[in-house]
């Protein structure tokens, strides 16, 4: 099945550093979402973006919906050890009925 | 805590057997979607139910089937299990008018 192109595949950083990851698609999406998944758990929604060009923050997290509607990025500022996990982007054509298309994920490791 | 619960959490089955996985949706949610997440991959959409009817299906064979009940709980059934069916199976509940889907913790299925 289709998956979005998500990069980098993994990151190993020092606590306090900023992190940036992005997601691209060959198709247009009307909604972009970013999820975090901890081991043995389901994905948890971090940020949802609904308009092209939209920039949204949730605490230390900031995400943007690309102008072309084919990409999105997620920034994490001042990383802390509990940021460790796998981050997934997901695109959706329409709300509610429409399915989510996920990227392969970015594994983030944070060294104290 | 998303309010979406799945059972069982882990399961081991033999190739050729059948399996039923269960999901209890969050209160007030009327759509449920099922995803398959292979190791190291992002979740892949299997199908979605709304008002007890399937209203979207991903690239999965007919031996993957489901049900949604009047209380919005749901089942995923897989017949004639194959080794490649080993994965984390996630259900996500939401509403027809809202993008945001909430995932359960998943069922880890191992086919031997």
């Amino acid at each position: 099945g289709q998956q979005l192109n998500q990069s980098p595949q993994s990151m190993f950083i020092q606590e306090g550093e900023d992190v940036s990851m992005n997601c691209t698609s060959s198709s247009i999406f009307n909604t972009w979402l970013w999820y975090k998944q901890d081991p043995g758990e389901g994905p948890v929604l971090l940020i949802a973006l609904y308009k092209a060009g939209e920039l949204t923050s949730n605490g230390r997290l900031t995400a943007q919906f690309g102008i072309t509607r084919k990409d999105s990025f997620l920034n994490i500022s001042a990383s802390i050890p509990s940021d460790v996990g796998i981050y997934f982007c997901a695109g959706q054509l329409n709300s509610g009925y429409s399915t989510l298309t996920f990227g392969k994920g970015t594994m983030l490791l944070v060294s104290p | 805590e998303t309010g979406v619960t799945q059972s069982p959490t882990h399961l081991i089955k033999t190739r050729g057997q059948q399996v039923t996985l269960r999901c209890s949706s969050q209160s007030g949610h009327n759509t449920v979607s099922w995803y398959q997440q292979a190791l190291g991959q992002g979740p892949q959409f299997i199908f979605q139910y709304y008002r007890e009817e399937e209203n979207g299906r991903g690239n999965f064979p007919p031996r993957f089937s489901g049900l949604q009940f009047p209380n919005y709980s749901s089942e995923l059934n897989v017949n004639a299990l194959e080794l490649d069916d080993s994965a984390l199976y996630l259900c996500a509940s939401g509403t027809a008018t809202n993008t945001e889907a909430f995932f359960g913790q998943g069922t880890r299925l191992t086919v031997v």
Side-chain angles (χ1 to χ4, degrees):
Chain A
Q2 179 193 4
Q3 285 199 319
L4 306 178
N5 299 311
Q6 192 170 345
S7 65
Q9 193 172 8
S10 62
M11 302 179 75
F12 183 43
I13 61 171
Q14 296 272 346
E15 183 177 359
E17 288 184 14
D18 296 344
V19 170
S20 184
M21 58 191 79
N22 66 72
C23 197
T24 61
S25 169
S26 57
S27 307
I28 288 173
F29 289 107
N30 290 319
T31 302
W32 282 91
L33 305 109
W34 285 91
Y35 286 86
K36 179 179 181 239
Q37 186 174 28
D38 292 328
E41 301 291 329
V44 174
L45 182 65
L46 299 174
I47 291 181
L49 301 155
Y50 300 103
K51 291 182 182 178
E54 178 183 352
L55 187 71
T56 296
S57 293
N58 178 9
R60 293 178 297 105
L61 278 60
T62 301
Q64 184 156 29
F65 191 145
I67 291 291
T68 65
R69 292 194 283 158
K70 292 185 178 180
D71 63 327
S72 178
F73 73 75
L74 174 71
N75 286 340
I76 305 173
S77 63
S79 58
I80 59 178
S82 63
D83 291 334
V84 166
I86 303 178
Y87 291 79
F88 289 99
C89 62
Q92 189 177 44
L93 274 176
N94 300 299
S95 66
Y97 291 107
S98 182
T99 67
L100 295 174
T101 302
F102 281 86
K104 289 191 175 183
T106 294
M107 178 182 289
L108 177 63
L109 298 172
V110 180
S111 172
Chain B
E1 185 67 39
T2 64
V4 180
T5 57
Q6 293 185 242
S7 62
T9 55
H10 296 83
L11 198 55
I12 300 175
K13 287 286 190 177
T14 304
R15 189 171 46 183
Q17 284 188 314
Q18 179 266 345
V19 69
T20 297
L21 309 182
R22 295 179 172 83
C23 175
S24 176
S25 299
Q26 186 176 99
S27 176
H29 286 179
N30 54 17
T31 70
V32 64
S33 304
W34 285 89
Y35 290 80
Q36 181 195 65
Q37 186 177 21
L39 204 59
Q41 302 292 317
Q44 292 278 331
F45 174 71
I46 303 175
F47 45 57
Q48 177 172 274
Y49 278 79
Y50 172 65
R51 291 183 175 175
E52 302 172 51
E53 289 193 3
E54 183 181 299
N55 75 339
R57 189 176 184 94
N59 189 25
F60 281 81
R63 59 189 184 84
F64 285 77
S65 63
L67 286 171
Q68 184 185 29
F69 301 101
N71 64 356
Y72 303 123
S73 63
S74 175
E75 287 182 356
L76 165 65
N77 298 291
V78 187
N79 295 321
L81 284 166
E82 300 176 359
L83 297 180
D84 285 349
D85 295 334
S86 296
L88 181 69
Y89 288 85
L90 297 161
C91 81
S93 74
T95 67
T97 56
N98 193 326
T99 294
E100 300 177 15
F102 297 89
F103 285 84
Q105 83 282 9
T107 293
R108 172 72 62 188
L109 172 66
T110 302
V111 182
V112 297

